């Protein structure tokens, strides 16, 4: 079985440069024995290290395309961002029919799930007494960031399934209605990012995963390109402007029915917004959309195209689409069908100990070591900062005789 | 007698981009100590307001945080223009912030009242022309 971590290292390509380690937003990377190594319990799957590695040594983890052959009835769930990858695409049906051509038996657009999410958000805003501002939970890297680092903000989370889970549930239902046996159905998301791969394989907010495999947008793109030119166009799409807009930053927020919203993208910007919210600075905002990738999901590291080009293409495609669909009425499901089945748990990765007195002792030890380090944050010791080095020493994750090359911290 | 973690910060005046840095570092430390969420939130709000006041109304200053097993004490001290009438300054909505500052989204006059609301103890001393010293304490649940 493939172990699904978010990112994997190609040790032959890794030069042990400290680029990824210095920029990891959760300080999850160390350089050990000249190679980058990920502390997976801290990794949120944002893909920054994949994006930044100058040697292409960091690879996103995803399923090989052939995994679809394990199932008799294969359903593709294309992300809205996929449509932005193709030059001169005039009609999304080329993509959908192309997916049928390369081996899928059915296609259910995640954009439809997104359209439903927008409809649901509007209804829930009117019905429920949300803790404002409500924070979108569609980007799993951000959801994970909040669960590991911004525990105080958990009550703000929008407790809705992500568009892809909604699409998966409805696609499975449609297949069952067509008389396909449950065990024959395989559901595959075509993903822009490793965060979605990890989240969907684990099942976040759901009792158990609905998706059987997560494919990379670039790999599927390579399969689609040759068939799309000649494919027979059957009308399949049920995409709306509201649904496809989720491909780029601001698209979800613009459709949440509230005027006072904020949309931030890029993991560093997102962290600033979350800190500001925690400090009580965002008192008038009602809805916050956050995307780990610059530009939103079009910026995902498993895409082909530059995020800004993809965004421009999607804007062009939008002009031909209906504004929105009222699919809630058509689907006839109760609101609970779309809500979290299980509330994800907070992760205690930063506490030095569950016992406060022990944690205090460790912290004082860290402060003592840190005070005597040169504060250059040079990364030569294999930790992203002098403070992280002191923490690693006290946590015992590095040998107690590890040295700072500038200074002997043992007085 | 009991163990204490002592942190010190310089807060730069008129630097809105870095405002909140000291508060963020205190939050990180409290996270490392596993302090309950609601307490981290209270200290975050109170300390941020006091920190931003030093940025806007004084020309920066120093902040110290002392963290004990059962409480955190923060002192923010500046050598700015000081507060003429503390009672007035404590009134919700009272602000001497300029139009420019308000344009940046600051100066709603809720800072000091919020500090009082979110802390277990709050003291403020100020002398016109000399500076201001704010003390705040949050007990951990
Ligand atoms: N550190 C300080 N130095 C000088 N004046 C201050 C300081 N902190 C607060 N003040 C004064 O108290 C007033 C009220 O403060 P506050 O309630 O935080 O509202 P605001 O900062 O929005 O004006 C300020 O407008 C200012 O005149
Ligand atoms: S912004 Fe989109 S593409 Fe990027 S990590 Fe989040 S869900 Fe994935
Ligand atoms: Mg203020």
């Amino acid at each position: 079985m493939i172990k699904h971590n978010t990112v994997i290292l190609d040790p032959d390509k890794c030069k042990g440069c400290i680029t990824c380690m210095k920029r990891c937003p959760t300080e999850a990377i160390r350089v050990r024995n000249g190679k980058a190594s990920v502390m997976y319990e801290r990794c949120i799957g944002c893909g920054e290290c994949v994006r930044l590695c100058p040697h292409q040594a960091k690879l996103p983890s995803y399923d090989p395309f052939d995994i679809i052959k394990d199932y008799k009835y294969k359903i593709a769930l294309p992300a809205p961002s996929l449509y932005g990858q193709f030059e001169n695409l005039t009609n999304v049906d080329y993509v959908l029919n192309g997916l049928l051509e390369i081996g899928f038996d059915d296609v259910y657009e995640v954009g439809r799930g997104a359209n439903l999410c927008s409809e649901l958000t509007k209804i829930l805003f009117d019905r429920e007494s949300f803790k404002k501002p409500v924070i979108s939970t569609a980007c799993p890297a951000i959801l994970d960031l909040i669960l590991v680092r911004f525990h105080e903000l958990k009550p703000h989370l929008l407790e809705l399934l992500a568009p892809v889970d909604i699409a998966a549930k409805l696609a499975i239902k449609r297949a069952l209605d067509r008389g396909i046996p449950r065990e024959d159905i395989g559901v595959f998301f075509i993903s822009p990012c490793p965060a979605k791969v990890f989240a969907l394989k684990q099942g976040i907010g759901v009792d158990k995963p609905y998706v059987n495999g997560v494919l990379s947008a670039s790999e599927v793109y390579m399969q689609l390109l040759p068939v799309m030119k000649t494919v027979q166009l059957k009308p399949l799409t049920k995409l709306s402007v509201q649904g496809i807009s989720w491909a780029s930053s601001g698209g979800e927020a613009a459709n949440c029915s509230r005027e006072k919203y904020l949309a931030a993208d890029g993991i560093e910007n997102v962290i600033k917004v979350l800190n500001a919210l925690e400090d009580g600075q965002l008192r008038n905002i009602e809805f916050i959309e956050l995307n780990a990738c610059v530009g939103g999901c079009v910026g995902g590291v498993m895409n082909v195209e530059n995020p800004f080009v993809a965004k421009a293409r999607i804007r062009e495609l939008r002009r031909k689409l209906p504004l929105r669909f009222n699919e809630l009425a058509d689907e006839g499901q109760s609101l609970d069908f779309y809500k979290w089945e299980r509330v994800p748990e907070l992760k205690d990765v930063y506490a030095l100990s569950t016992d406060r007195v022990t944690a205090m002792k460790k912290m004082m030890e860290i402060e003592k070591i840190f005070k005597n380090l040169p504060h250059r944050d040079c990364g030569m010791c294999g930790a992203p900062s002098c403070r992280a080095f002191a923490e690693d020493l006290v946590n015992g994750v590095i040998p107690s005789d590890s040295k700072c090359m500038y200074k002997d911290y043992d007085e | 007698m009991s163990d204490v973690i002592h942190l010190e910060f310089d807060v730069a005046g008129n630097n809105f981009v870095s405002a909140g840095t000291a508060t963020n570092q205190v939050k990180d430390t409290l996270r490392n100590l596993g302090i309950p969420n609601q307490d981290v939130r209270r200290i975050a709000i109170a300390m941020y307001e006091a920190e931003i006041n030093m940025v806007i109304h004084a020309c920066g200053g120093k902040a110290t945080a002392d963290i004990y097993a059962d409480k955190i004490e923060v002192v923010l001290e500046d050598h700015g223009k000081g507060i003429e009438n503390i009672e007035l300054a404590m009134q919700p909505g009272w602000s001497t912030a300029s139009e420019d500052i308000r344009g940046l989204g600051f100066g709603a006059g809720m800072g000091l009242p919020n500090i009082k609301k979110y802390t277990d103890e709050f003291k403020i001393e100020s002398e016109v022309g000399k500076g201001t010293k704010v003390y705040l304490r949050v007990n951990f649940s």
Side-chain angles (χ1 to χ4, degrees), chain A residues 135-182:
Chain A
I135 304 175
S136 147
T137 48
C139 172
I142 300 305
L143 179 55
D144 215 34
L145 176 67
I146 292 172
L147 296 175
V148 302
R149 184 161 154 194
F150 292 94
H151 290 185
E152 299 76 18
L153 302 180
K154 191 178 176 192
H156 295 266
L157 295 174
L158 180 60
E159 299 193 356
L160 266 187
L161 294 180
V164 55
D165 280 314
I166 291 178
K169 270 178 111 167
L170 291 169
I172 292 168
K173 195 178 147 284
R174 183 162 78 182
L176 291 172
D177 288 347
R178 286 175 183 168
I180 318 280
R182 183 65 186 89

Side-chain angles (χ1 to χ4, degrees), chain A residues 77-107:
Chain A
L77 308 179
S81 49
L82 183 68
Y83 309 117
Q85 309 306 310
F86 305 93
E87 206 182 344
N88 301 324
L89 183 70
T90 50
N91 182 343
V92 295
D93 272 332
Y94 282 103
V95 178
L96 305 188
N97 285 283
L99 287 167
L100 297 181
E101 193 72 22
I102 62 172
F104 290 99
D105 301 291
D106 193 14
V107 185

Side-chain angles (χ1 to χ4, degrees), chain A residues 88 105 122 182-183 196 208 234 294 322 330 332 335 359 364:
Chain A
N88 301 324
D105 301 291
K122 287 174 209 170
R182 183 65 186 89
E183 64 274 17
K196 284 279 186 203
K208 68 182 189 14
K234 279 177 287 164
V294 170
D330 306 346
L335 280 184
M364 287 192 294

Side-chain angles (χ1 to χ4, degrees), chain A residues 131 148-153 156 272 274-281 283 346 348 350-353 355-357 359-361 363-364 367 387 391, chain B residues 3-7 20 23-24 27-29 31-41 44-45 48-49 67-70 106 114 118 140-141:
Chain A
K131 182 149 174 86
V148 302
R149 184 161 154 194
F150 292 94
H151 290 185
E152 299 76 18
L153 302 180
H156 295 266
K272 282 188 193 141
L274 293 174
N275 267 320
L277 176 56
E278 210 171 44
D279 298 346
Q281 297 178 52
R283 291 217 164 78
L346 294 175
D348 243 334
Y350 288 102
L352 293 164
S353 165
D355 170 59
R356 197 179 295 165
V357 177
M360 291 272 300
K361 290 233 148 52
M363 182 53 84
M364 287 192 294
E367 288 296 328
R387 176 168 285 279
E391 271 173 35
Chain B
D3 292 341
V4 54
I5 293 162
H6 179 76
L7 306 171
T23 305
N24 283 339
K27 282 194 291 188
D28 283 340
T29 307
R31 258 176 216 129
N32 286 146
L33 295 174
I35 301 301
N37 304 337
Q38 64 274 20
D39 301 337
V40 178
R41 186 101 200 240
I45 295 174
Y48 176 78
E49 292 289 3
I67 306 168
Y68 302 83
D70 59 345
F106 301 104
N114 270 327
Y118 287 99
F140 301 143
S141 34

Side-chain angles (χ1 to χ4, degrees), chain B residues 49 53-54 56-58 78 81-83 89 94-97 106-113 132:
Chain B
E49 292 289 3
N53 275 354
M54 289 208 303
I56 300 173
H57 305 298
D78 65 61
K81 60 181 185 281
I83 304 174
W94 168 263
S95 176
T96 59
F106 301 104
M110 290 307 294
L112 296 178
T132 304

